[in-house]
Amino acid sequence: MGLNNQWMQRDLAVLWHPCTQMKDHQQLPLVPIKRGEGVWLEDFEGKRYLDAVSSWWVNVFGHANPRINQRIKDQVDQLEHVILAGFSHQPVIELSERLVKITPEGLTRCFYADNGSSCIEVALKMSFHYWLNRGQPNKKRFVTLTNSYHGETIAAMSVGDVPLFTETYKALLLDTIKVPSPDCYLRPDGMSWEEHSRNMFQAMEQTLADNHDSVAAVIVEPLIQGAGGMRMYHPVYLKLLREACDRYGVHLIHDEIAVGFGRTGSMFACEQAGIRPDFLCLSKALTGGYLPLAAVVTTEDVYSAFYDDYPTLRAFLHSHSYTGNPLACAAALATLDIFEEDNVIENNKALAQRMATATAHLVDHPHVSEVRQTGMVLAIEMVQDKATKTAYPWQERRGLKVFEHALERGALLRPLGSVVYFLPPYVITPEQIDFLAEVATEGIDIATNSTVSVAVPKDFHPGFRDPG
């Protein structure tokens, strides 16, 4: 029995993995990883895998980055953790100062959580509580986009709309208002992204006009709906949304957990629309992919609504044990140093162009309906009929075939259903991008080289897909 198999058997005896039907591992070997370096992950038998998905979208400067490593090592000898209620520490203060400096003007206050889902819960609670403190308790509903994803906790699921994650738990979810997504994959032939996004805003405008008295906030994933299949839309939608939220007296929450920190081509996606949300939710790449940390960056107006004498009970009494953990803050500070010192955003433009060039041939693939890209995110959508964009039945699990082929070739590509995507660390080289394009093309050829064996029901919903 090889080392990989030994570790796999020990794992399967005691672990329950996330986002996984564990029975799959009767046929699909689990990959135990011993070490990482740069874009590479290495298993216990020495095989390497190029991490094309940044280990669930978190790693931006490579595994075992020496600069982040050193910052954490220095911090662990000073302070590993301290309660953040009534106490503070240098890393969390410095990190907050820097986040306020680099985020859009007017975002002045940082509140920390442990992960993305918790971050969303904080923003939702803050918005509701703000209106309560301002004497408008009726403003307690949230507006979200169809096909959106904001996390796995109950309130975060409530403002999501990917059935694979929400359908089972419908009885537990909050009553939210869902507005059609500006997803440009669905635009009519010949229509630009901008025109389609403008047209789709009409539904949001009407929803806010009809419901603003009861709505606390609108929450969106700016520019890219990640778990919804890397579906993308034009920044004009965000500009129109900001104007409408101001007009109707509704908060705007930007979930930049996946798309912040350079992923879309700017430091934050909201910059491309020239706007500032009321709540900016950050996590994932915040620590360079090292440690769990999330921040809600908000305005002085929101902060002041909670600032009062204790007996008024206006305080925001939300907490996590590891809020503002010093080790995580140290990793985040090192990550921001790299952004500041290495001209990352500009360098990414060349890498993004190489991704586009390396995959350009797939536009003509008979079973690829679209190759779309925003910054350092590129998605390739496989379909059974290119002319009609008819999707493959989710039961076919075509993306799984791409995943398995990529592992054989030494790459970690984890498609979202039939959507193959590249979301690599920013330290990837042009040659490594070419390798990923080659592997993806081979995998797509294999995955689409058989006829459909499962009938597509009339109520087919593409939201039921292999989770990414």
Side-chain angles (χ1 to χ4, degrees), residues 14-90:
V14 291
L15 264 69
W16 189 344
H17 287 264
C19 225
T20 301
Q21 171 47 261
M22 293 300 294
K23 191 174 182 180
D24 280 353
H25 288 307
Q26 289 184 9
Q27 294 84 32
L28 180 67
L30 188 107
V31 184
I33 296 300
K34 181 178 182 179
R35 62 184 299 273
E37 182 179 4
V39 298
W40 297 102
L41 297 166
E42 185 177 310
D43 67 23
F44 282 81
E45 295 175 0
K47 183 172 181 177
R48 298 201 306 170
Y49 307 86
L50 201 159
D51 188 355
V53 299
S54 296
S55 288
W56 254 345
W57 320 348
V58 300
N59 188 292
V60 286
F61 296 126
H63 298 279
N65 183 290
R67 292 151 79 179
I68 304 176
N69 287 358
Q70 190 58 53
R71 190 69 171 256
I72 295 171
K73 289 174 184 176
D74 293 343
Q75 182 59 44
V76 80
D77 288 332
Q78 295 294 319
L79 177 67
E80 83 300 337
H81 187 62
V82 64
I83 184 175
L84 205 62
F87 288 78
S88 192
H89 54 83
Q90 181 177 340

Side-chain angles (χ1 to χ4, degrees), residues 185 366-369 382-392 452:
Y185 179 72
H367 291 289
V368 169
S369 61
M382 297 185 293
V383 291
Q384 58 173 304
D385 189 294
K386 189 182 184 80
T388 61
K389 292 186 177 179
T390 302
Y392 284 108
V452 175

Side-chain angles (χ1 to χ4, degrees), residues 98-274:
R98 292 181 70 174
L99 287 177
V100 166
K101 183 178 179 180
I102 66 173
T103 53
E105 185 176 355
L107 296 174
T108 61
R109 297 285 173 171
C110 300
F111 191 99
Y112 291 93
D114 296 350
N115 59 71
S117 297
S118 298
C119 184
I120 296 299
E121 300 270 339
V122 167
L124 297 175
K125 287 177 65 176
M126 272 188 180
S127 178
F128 163 77
H129 200 163
Y130 170 94
W131 295 113
L132 188 66
N133 285 351
R134 293 295 194 211
Q136 298 187 62
N138 57 311
K139 290 176 74 67
K140 57 187 177 182
R141 300 184 75 191
F142 297 97
V143 176
T144 185
L145 299 176
T146 56
N147 196 45
S148 57
Y149 175 89
H150 298 286
E152 300 289 353
T153 48
I154 297 299
M157 276 197 300
S158 298
V159 291
D161 187 51
V162 178
L164 179 66
F165 301 107
T166 61
E167 192 74 15
T168 302
Y169 307 103
K170 279 193 338 187
L172 303 178
L173 304 184
L174 305 176
D175 176 28
T176 58
I177 303 171
K178 293 179 172 57
V179 173
S181 169
D183 171 10
C184 289
Y185 179 72
L186 303 175
R187 70 192 185 281
D189 289 343
M191 184 175 287
S192 70
W193 279 31
E194 180 172 356
E195 185 180 359
H196 179 70
S197 297
R198 281 184 180 276
N199 290 344
M200 293 305 296
F201 187 75
Q202 295 171 15
M204 179 66 77
E205 176 76 34
Q206 191 62 53
T207 296
L208 292 178
D210 294 343
N211 299 281
H212 64 274
D213 287 343
S214 64
V215 169
V218 178
I219 180 170
V220 296
E221 300 163 272
L223 303 187
I224 304 174
Q225 294 186 299
M230 296 299 165
R231 294 290 179 82
M232 302 173 185
Y233 59 95
H234 194 276
V236 71
Y237 190 92
L238 302 176
K239 184 175 185 296
L240 294 171
L241 180 56
R242 175 72 275 178
E243 292 170 354
C245 286
D246 290 341
R247 193 161 58 248
Y248 292 110
V250 169
H251 285 147
L252 176 57
I253 302 172
H254 270 204
D255 175 356
E256 295 218 17
I257 291 162
V259 300
F261 298 102
R263 188 55 71 178
T264 64
S266 52
M267 191 64 169
F268 301 106
C270 57
E271 295 173 23
Q272 296 187 38

